[in-house]
Amino acid sequence: MRNRVEILHGVNLDQLGSREPEIYGSLTLGELETQVRRFGTELGLELIFEQTNHEGEYVELLHAARETTDALILNPGAWTHYSYAIRDALASTGLPAVEVHLSAVSEREEFRRHSVIRDHCLAHIEGKGVDGYSDALVLLNEAFERS
Ligand code: DQA
């Protein structure tokens, strides 16, 4: 049975809580992880959390993902908008993935409106804060149940 979901946070997301709280909310990354883990456990999912500020490390986590997880939730931070390296690594996993952003990226600056990973994801969720991760878990759980 597939039930593992890896949640990969990218650059600057370790600064949640103190970083522009009016945009990203006041939860720290640790607090966000606790809430999302609680929700995932209720769904019977096993969650793995990773965060890095190093693009190559994010790519290597994606390379390893085929062995370590059944699905992905990606919030690569600013890399979302320009990292073809992350896009290619995601494509190579062949895993179901959901793109999540805490803020409403499509309503912010022009450069945030574009995502280079979106067409390799089942769905993208933005502007819902921590609830966006719960929505992503529901979608992935439904995908597990269908297959
Ligand atoms: C973000 C949106 C990105 O544009 C930004 O660079 C981030 C966070 C979000 O979760 O809203 O670092 O991915």
Side-chain angles (χ1 to χ4, degrees):
M1 192 189 79
R2 296 188 304 158
N3 76 337
R4 298 171 301 174
V5 180
E6 190 158 336
I7 300 170
L8 294 182
H9 281 106
V11 62
N12 292 319
L13 287 155
D14 57 333
Q15 299 302 305
L16 287 180
S18 57
R19 172 191 184 204
E20 298 177 277
E22 65 290 357
I23 297 175
Y24 298 114
S26 55
L27 285 187
T28 64
L29 185 60
E31 289 164 348
L32 180 147
E33 288 182 7
T34 302
Q35 285 197 22
V36 177
R37 191 180 292 287
R38 198 173 300 137
F39 188 79
T41 305
E42 281 169 22
L43 291 176
L45 298 172
E46 188 188 311
L47 303 191
I48 305 153
F49 289 90
E50 300 282 359
Q51 189 277 330
T52 177
N53 289 321
H54 303 279
E55 186 179 3
E57 209 171 297
Y58 200 91
V59 164
E60 285 174 358
L61 286 166
L62 286 168
H63 292 169
R66 257 178 307 200
E67 306 299 327
T68 55
T69 191
D70 303 306
L72 295 161
I73 293 177
L74 301 184
N75 183 350
W79 294 326
T80 307
H81 312 300
Y82 65 85
S83 174
Y84 296 113
I86 288 173
R87 174 196 166 85
D88 285 350
L90 169 61
S92 79
T93 69
L95 291 169
V98 177
E99 174 187 346
V100 173
H101 299 284
L102 292 155
S103 66
V105 281
S106 62
E107 293 165 18
R108 297 180 61 199
E109 302 94 316
E110 187 64 39
F111 76 91
R112 293 186 206 275
R113 300 191 187 154
H114 183 61
S115 161
V116 298
I117 63 167
R118 195 154 299 169
D119 60 332
H120 285 296
C121 294
L122 297 178
H124 105 271
I125 299 168
E126 58 167 84
K128 300 183 79 176
V130 67
D131 292 345
Y133 294 84
S134 307
D135 291 358
L137 289 175
V138 168
L139 288 177
L140 291 170
N141 196 40
E142 285 169 1
F144 291 154
E145 283 170 359
R146 277 197 305 273
S147 62

